[in-house]
Amino acid sequence: MRLEQLRELGERLVHVHSQHHTLLLNDPSFQLGLVDHVAGQRKAVAEYTGQFHEWRALVQRLADLKEEEGRARSEKDFLQFQLDELDGMTLVADEQEAISAELTRAEHAEELIQAYEALEQGISGDRGAMIGLATLRQATVRAARVDPELHALMERLETVRIELKDIGEEAERAMAHISIDPARAAELRDRYDSLIRLQQKHRVDSVPALIDIREELRTALAGIGSLSERIAGLEVDEERLRNIVSTKAKAISKGRIAAVKPLANKVEGILHELGMPNTVFQFEHRTGDPGSKGMDSIRAVFSANMERAPAALDKVASGGELSRVMLALISLAADSQGLPTVIFDEIDTGVSGEVADRVGSLMARMGTDRQVLAITHLPQIASKADTHMVVSKELAGTSAHTSIRAVQAEERVEALAQMLSGRKLTKAALENARVLLKGDR
């Protein structure tokens, strides 16, 4: 079994009260917890607290998303402008190289036309190479029929003639496709300059990189739209959780309102029994916005004297009075929760005499329905117990050893007498101890 399960089981079976718990009585949140304990709604409060923190986390997440959306919307126009600019260019991945080549040809069109024309005329014109080759062929064709070597040379010359003819024809065709068009050159130059300008603006060096940026911008703008959708969805969830938290806070508050007055009256009654007949004990209750423990704030106010108006415990209650208030609350909490075991660690701080006797009687009454363990130095309280155990500490060299042993019969009398008179037992102390053990509880 895991430690958490043991701790949860222990809280259901055993309540341990130590001296610092009395100091906690001045803490409003501790007082609120006691009211919930008596009202039997600690589980409901724990469930509410979990949902409250879930709601607040959602509220924070919603605020963060709205802030993010605000920043995104402030950038949206700029992002849209950049995307429109890139979309308007209708970018093609390999166009920059093609434009560069065409622009070079357009800027040197006249020079290229002259060169192609000179090439074509030099091959096919009236004084071109083709005329000379034809003359050579006529002069040698008959002799080549009888001389193999000459025939071979003539064949090579024919190959040259065919190649020159192809070159001339290609030059003519190429020249036909070149035009001197200043408007087209200006258009190409503008397009090329626009591509370079965009690359410099986005700090890239190619058209494919510009295309990547264009798609990133498109994705970013789509994300702004999806952010709005996410916010709308979270707003629905936030409203649902807020309504749940509000409903549960009201239900818990209703339980607290129903519990505080009867609880305060019962505490008053017990305090009257504990030697404080003029005590006034009340809970001041206020409501506000839902918090981690609900919508309520509670403050215990107290007065031990009729002439003094009730005030906060830490302002008017002495240590002994605080101990008795705490004892009263614990006794009621134990009843309401059916705790089978309650442990008091010196809850008698600040009390003595008859008050201590009444405190012991209250513990004894609690012991009729459950197991009560009390650690005390007061004989008036110890005498009310059904069983006594003596705790002692001994030094052996540098080590301290603590032991617990049960005492019975005459040892009980002696242990109680030592609490009355100290280590040296007197006849009076022993007699007083016997009287206390036989006294009413």
Side-chain angles (χ1 to χ4, degrees):
M1 186 177 291
R2 291 183 295 181
L3 181 61
E4 294 79 5
Q5 293 173 311
L6 287 172
R7 184 180 294 112
E8 182 179 353
L9 178 61
E11 290 176 352
R12 294 176 181 273
L13 299 177
V14 180
H15 172 80
V16 180
H17 172 83
S18 58
Q19 295 180 55
H20 74 275
H21 283 105
T22 302
L23 298 177
L24 284 174
L25 191 55
N26 294 316
D27 184 353
S29 63
F30 182 72
Q31 297 171 13
L32 190 63
L34 284 174
V35 171
D36 288 330
H37 190 70
V38 172
Q41 56 183 18
R42 292 181 69 182
K43 183 178 180 180
V45 173
E47 291 176 352
Y48 162 85
T49 298
Q51 289 177 318
F52 173 82
H53 288 307
E54 182 183 355
W55 169 56
R56 291 307 304 168
L58 185 58
V59 169
Q60 184 60 52
R61 176 62 180 150
L62 193 55
D64 292 342
L65 280 179
K66 286 182 177 180
E67 183 178 350
E68 183 181 345
E69 183 193 35
R71 290 194 301 268
R73 288 196 176 282
S74 67
E75 298 173 0
K76 182 179 179 181
D77 290 344
F78 179 61
L79 295 177
Q80 188 66 58
F81 169 78
Q82 290 183 310
L83 178 61
D84 291 344
E85 186 178 41
L86 290 171
D87 275 341
M89 288 293 291
T90 316
L91 299 170
V92 178
D94 58 352
E95 67 172 312
Q96 188 168 359
E97 293 76 9
I99 291 172
S100 178
E102 186 178 354
L103 181 59
T104 299
R105 290 167 62 85
E107 290 176 340
H108 297 82
E110 187 173 351
E111 182 181 348
L112 287 171
I113 288 173
Q114 292 175 354
Y116 279 122
E117 185 178 12
L119 184 61
E120 191 273 334
Q121 287 297 318
I123 294 173
S124 303
D126 293 340
R127 298 182 179 182
M130 294 297 291
I131 299 297
L133 288 173
T135 302
L136 285 174
R137 186 174 182 280
Q138 290 177 357
T140 58
V141 66
R142 289 186 178 181
R145 293 173 182 170
V146 297
D147 185 11
E149 288 187 30
L150 183 58
H151 181 74
L153 291 173
M154 288 300 295
E155 287 181 344
R156 290 170 64 188
L157 191 62
E158 180 63 16
T159 300
V160 170
R161 185 190 70 79
I162 293 172
E163 181 67 17
L164 281 174
K165 181 181 178 183
D166 288 343
I167 292 172
E169 290 174 352
E170 286 187 21
E172 186 177 10
R173 286 194 298 271
M175 183 175 61
H177 288 90
I178 297 175
S179 62
I180 300 175
D181 187 351
R184 176 60 179 168
E187 179 184 345
L188 290 170
R189 191 174 296 108
D190 287 344
R191 177 71 175 179
Y192 191 83
D193 289 345
S194 295
L195 292 175
I196 295 299
R197 177 179 56 79
L198 282 175
Q199 290 171 29
Q200 291 174 344
K201 178 178 180 178
H202 293 283
R203 299 182 180 180
V204 294
D205 58 3
S206 67
V207 173
L210 287 175
I211 292 174
D212 290 341
I213 291 173
R214 180 189 65 192
E215 298 312 308
E216 289 172 3
L217 289 169
R218 202 183 310 281
T219 300
L221 285 166
I224 294 175
S226 66
L227 199 61
S228 299
E229 294 175 2
R230 288 168 61 193
I231 288 173
L234 284 179
E235 285 177 336
V236 172
D237 292 340
E238 186 275 331
E239 183 180 8
R240 176 182 59 80
L241 265 178
R242 174 161 36 90
N243 290 334
I244 290 174
V245 166
S246 177
T247 300
K248 289 196 173 183
K250 290 175 182 177
I252 290 170
S253 179
K254 185 177 180 180
R256 287 166 174 167
I257 292 171
V260 288
K261 182 61 176 176
L263 175 59
N265 291 340
K266 289 178 181 179
V267 172
E268 271 191 13
I270 295 173
L271 292 177
H272 292 169
E273 291 181 22
L274 295 178
M276 302 168 67
N278 298 316
T279 295
V280 175
F281 184 89
Q282 299 170 349
F283 286 106
E284 292 182 346
H285 175 265
R286 293 184 177 86
T287 58
D289 295 330
S292 62
K293 298 298 181 182
M295 59 190 297
D296 309 278
S297 61
I298 286 178
R299 185 179 74 153
V301 293
F302 167 88
S303 174
N305 304 307
M306 289 186 295
E307 68 275 7
R308 176 176 292 181
L313 286 166
D314 60 332
K315 303 297 183 183
V316 296
S318 65
E321 290 168 343
L322 281 175
S323 294
R324 281 175 275 179
V325 171
M326 195 67 177
L327 177 60
L329 287 168
I330 291 172
S331 67
L332 294 170
D335 286 338
S336 67
Q337 297 300 309
L339 290 172
T341 301
V342 179
I343 300 174
F344 293 111
D345 183 4
E346 297 190 23
I347 199 170
D348 50 30
T349 301
V351 300
S352 60
E354 182 184 355
V355 173
D357 186 73
R358 296 187 182 191
V359 168
S361 296
L362 176 58
M363 291 185 186
R365 289 201 303 275
M366 290 177 63
T368 60
D369 299 319
R370 62 188 50 80
Q371 184 180 45
V372 176
L373 302 178
I375 301 168
T376 182
H377 294 286
L378 294 181
Q380 296 93 332
I381 292 177
S383 66
K384 306 296 190 234
D386 296 316
T387 303
H388 290 102
M389 304 184 76
V390 174
V391 181
S392 60
K393 182 184 292 185
E394 296 179 355
L395 290 175
T398 58
S399 300
H401 298 278
T402 301
S403 62
I404 302 176
R405 66 184 183 88
V407 293
Q408 299 176 353
E410 191 62 21
E411 277 190 297
R412 294 178 67 194
V413 177
E414 292 176 359
L416 203 58
Q418 283 183 339
M419 297 176 72
L420 289 164
S421 64
R423 185 175 297 273
K424 183 178 179 180
L425 295 179
T426 65
K427 183 178 180 180
L430 289 168
E431 186 62 30
N432 194 8
R434 290 189 178 93
V435 171
L436 285 174
L437 287 171
K438 294 177 181 179
D440 295 333
R441 297 180 183 177

